[in-house]
């Protein structure tokens, strides 16, 4: 198949601001304090991290906040060594769905450390950046235990 067009490589930045809303503001403020916060459904008791204002199963409003543990279990993962613009750090890169201890849903984040031990069911622990800004990357990554 012949190609009759050029492919141009260009990095495009789209700086933006967004309103996090009441619920995500509480979650991000928790990150700034080195805490993982979730909301607990008053009907089914499921803890959702990041917190949500409504339970997706019971469809009731949630306003109770709880701190969850900074340890969890990898449910699923993907690993790559491909570079991309905005990559958080150099080297092999992994992301995982993590079921934090005490949470009732999975949390998507980076995995670091010795990735030779990376597998579903592996235990992980949050590693925090020294400077926290109230941003998802205040957690540098989750390290395999």
């Amino acid at each position: 198949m012949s190609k009759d067009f050029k492919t141009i490589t260009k990095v495009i930045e789209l700086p933006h601001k967004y309103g996090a809303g009441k619920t995500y503001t509480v979650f991000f403020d928790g990150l700034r304090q080195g805490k993982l916060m979730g909301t607990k459904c008053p009907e089914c008791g499921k803890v959702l991290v990041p917190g949500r204002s409504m339970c997706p199963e019971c469809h009731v409003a949630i306003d109770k906040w709880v701190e969850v543990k900074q340890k969890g279990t990898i449910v699923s993962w993907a690993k790559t060594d491909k570079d991309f613009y905005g990559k958080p750090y150099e080297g092999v890169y992994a992301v995982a769905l993590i079921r934090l201890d005490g949470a009732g849903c999975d949390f998507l984040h980076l995995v670091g450390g010795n990735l030779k031990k990376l597998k579903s069911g592996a235990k992980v622990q949050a590693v925090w950046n020294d400077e926290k800004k109230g941003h998802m990357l205040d957690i540098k990554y989750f390290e395999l235990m």
Side-chain angles (χ1 to χ4, degrees):
M1 176 178 206
S2 69
K3 180 175 159 183
D4 59 352
F5 58 89
K6 284 185 177 181
T7 302
I8 300 169
T9 301
K10 175 77 175 147
V11 174
I12 300 173
E13 291 188 52
L14 299 171
H16 66 282
K17 290 182 180 180
Y18 68 94
K22 180 180 175 183
T23 303
Y24 271 85
T25 295
V26 173
F27 175 74
F28 288 133
D29 285 348
L31 291 177
R32 184 179 291 118
Q33 298 169 21
K35 298 178 182 179
L36 282 166
M37 302 298 293
T39 51
K40 184 173 183 175
C41 176
E43 288 197 15
C44 69
K46 182 182 267 190
V47 176
L48 304 165
V49 181
R52 297 175 184 98
S53 59
M54 182 189 85
C55 178
E57 291 185 27
C58 302
H59 305 287
V60 298
I62 303 175
D63 60 5
K64 181 179 181 181
W65 284 89
V66 294
E67 183 177 357
V68 297
K69 294 191 179 1
Q70 298 182 16
K71 294 181 179 182
T73 305
I74 292 178
V75 175
S76 182
W77 56 272
K79 178 170 70 170
T80 185
D81 61 356
K82 303 296 182 198
D83 287 329
F84 62 90
Y85 180 76
K87 185 175 167 182
Y89 58 88
E90 294 301 314
V92 176
Y93 176 84
V95 293
L97 287 173
I98 300 165
R99 180 63 59 106
L100 296 168
D101 294 349
C105 64
D106 300 331
F107 184 71
L108 180 68
H109 212 287
L110 306 171
V111 177
N114 182 1
L115 295 182
K116 291 179 183 175
K117 299 188 295 182
L118 182 63
K119 65 180 182 178
S120 295
K123 301 294 185 186
V124 291
Q125 165 81 42
V127 175
W128 295 82
N129 281 305
D130 293 334
E131 183 183 346
K132 296 175 191 66
K133 301 175 182 176
H135 183 279
M136 191 63 83
L137 291 177
D138 286 348
I139 302 171
K140 188 174 187 177
Y141 54 78
F142 281 80
E143 185 169 35
L144 290 151
M145 299 171 54

